[in-house]
Amino acid sequence: LEEDARSTFETALASRDFLEHVWKGEQIEFFIDLMKRTMLLSEWNREFYLIPSLLRDRYVLPETGIPGHRCVYDFSSGFLPNGVFQRLLCLCVELSSRNGNVNTNLKL
């Protein structure tokens, strides 16, 4: 599980075994379902779950040197509540998997 923990915090992809360990084997289905419904977690493939709030800023925009994710929205004229980006990312992964896109070689 040490490798699963390290991998989870490096890639934001958690194995079911790791989630069972974290939640001490209790109410696993409930917690996974709750996090899916609130768009805090999304199934990545048959083995892993994506937890967007664990994503690290690895990508640097070449023209500005600003680190961040490649998905950029400009809300300079409005307000974006906390957690919206993570939920949007889960929604994109979910919709992508529904459309048959199973490309798991994406960089996180």
Side-chain angles (χ1 to χ4, degrees):
L1 285 176
E2 185 177 326
E3 177 62 30
D4 280 355
R6 188 174 54 74
S7 177
T8 296
F9 288 99
E10 286 179 4
T11 66
L13 295 174
S15 69
R16 171 123 184 155
D17 288 342
F18 180 71
L19 295 177
E20 287 181 2
H21 173 73
V22 169
W23 292 322
K24 299 177 179 156
E26 296 183 24
Q27 303 295 326
I28 303 302
E29 292 303 322
F30 169 77
F31 285 121
I32 289 174
D33 185 55
L34 175 66
M35 290 183 72
K36 281 183 185 178
R37 288 177 185 264
T38 56
M39 291 188 280
L40 295 173
L41 170 144
S42 183
E43 287 187 40
W44 184 253
N45 59 27
R46 294 184 190 271
E47 298 176 30
F48 294 98
Y49 297 91
L50 173 67
I51 304 173
S53 60
L54 295 179
L55 285 172
R56 296 182 180 194
D57 296 334
R58 295 185 184 181
Y59 181 74
V60 177
L61 294 171
E63 57 275 359
T64 63
I66 298 172
H69 303 287
R70 292 182 190 212
C71 183
V72 178
Y73 294 93
D74 183 3
F75 289 94
S76 60
S77 62
F79 173 73
L80 180 64
N82 289 334
V84 170
F85 175 78
Q86 290 84 353
R87 287 172 173 85
L88 180 61
L89 188 56
C90 276
L91 184 59
C92 290
V93 169
E94 178 69 24
L95 291 174
S96 176
S97 66
R98 284 184 190 169
N99 293 329
N101 183 1
V102 290
N103 181 3
T104 57
N105 294 324
L106 301 174
K107 302 281 185 201
L108 294 178

